[in-house]
Structure formats: C-alpha cells, structure tokens
Amino acid sequence: FFVLPSNPNEILYESIDELRGFTQELRLTSDFDGRLNFMVGAFLDDRRVQSNAQLQFGTTPITRTRQGVESNAYSFFGQLSFDILENLELAGGARYTNERRKYF
C-alpha cells in the first residue's frame, strides 16, 4: 500500500475520491400574443461522493476509512405572468422541492 517512509516519524496519507453525478433541468415557456404567459419546469439532481482514505504514522498503518454521501433531489416549478400595462407585468410562481441525503 505505502512505500516505507524514510523517517519513522513521517506521516503518509492516501485518499481515493470518487464522484458520480447527474443534473438536468427542463423548462417550457410560452410566448403568446395575449397578456397571459407561463413557464413550467422540472429539476433533477442525483449524485454520490465517496472518499477512501488511509493514514500511516511511520511504519504503522491506520485502518482504512470510507465515507461519503448520496443525494437525490427533484423539484417542479411554475410561473404565470400577466401584462397589466405595456411596461408593467405581474408574475407569481410556486416550487416544490424534495431532497434526500444519506451519509455513510
């Protein structure tokens, strides 16, 4: 695993990190000639981060540690806009989000 240190008091550290992720957002927006328009969409994020590490003091290795996090999130959103005047718009929207994380 490690090369023997030249100094018995030397501290060696090795870490192997892994990252996997996928993120996507989709939107649909209207452009009607009328005064009312909308935008709706969805968002997805799925990722996993993991770290495997080992510490060694001199010639004494310490047990390998593994830690990480898995996260999944999705949301849906929408917005309505209404042209009150030529240069004045009233807009309102809502979003629902669900996120889950698991640590290991």
Side-chain angles (χ1 to χ4, degrees), residues 1-2 11-16 51-56 60-66:
F1 174 73
F2 282 116
I11 298 173
L12 300 174
Y13 176 78
E14 177 190 52
S15 178
I16 301 170
S51 178
N52 294 307
Q54 180 158 356
L55 203 55
Q56 180 173 324
T60 307
I62 307 299
T63 305
R64 182 176 292 274
T65 61
R66 181 182 141 213

Side-chain angles (χ1 to χ4, degrees), residues 25-54:
E25 181 172 302
L26 300 172
R27 292 184 185 194
L28 175 63
T29 304
S30 69
D31 189 17
F32 298 134
D33 289 334
R35 296 169 69 180
L36 185 65
N37 279 290
F38 69 88
M39 187 269 301
V40 294
F43 173 79
L44 173 67
D45 182 42
D46 181 30
R47 67 184 63 235
R48 176 185 173 102
V49 179
Q50 179 176 324
S51 178
N52 294 307
Q54 180 158 356

Side-chain angles (χ1 to χ4, degrees), residues 64-95:
R64 182 176 292 274
T65 61
R66 181 182 141 213
Q67 61 185 10
V69 62
E70 289 180 359
S71 68
N72 307 91
Y74 63 88
S75 65
F76 302 101
F77 50 90
Q79 176 179 309
L80 287 175
S81 61
F82 182 75
D83 291 332
I84 297 173
L85 300 172
E86 186 177 321
N87 294 325
L88 182 62
E89 175 183 271
L90 176 65
R95 174 183 290 268

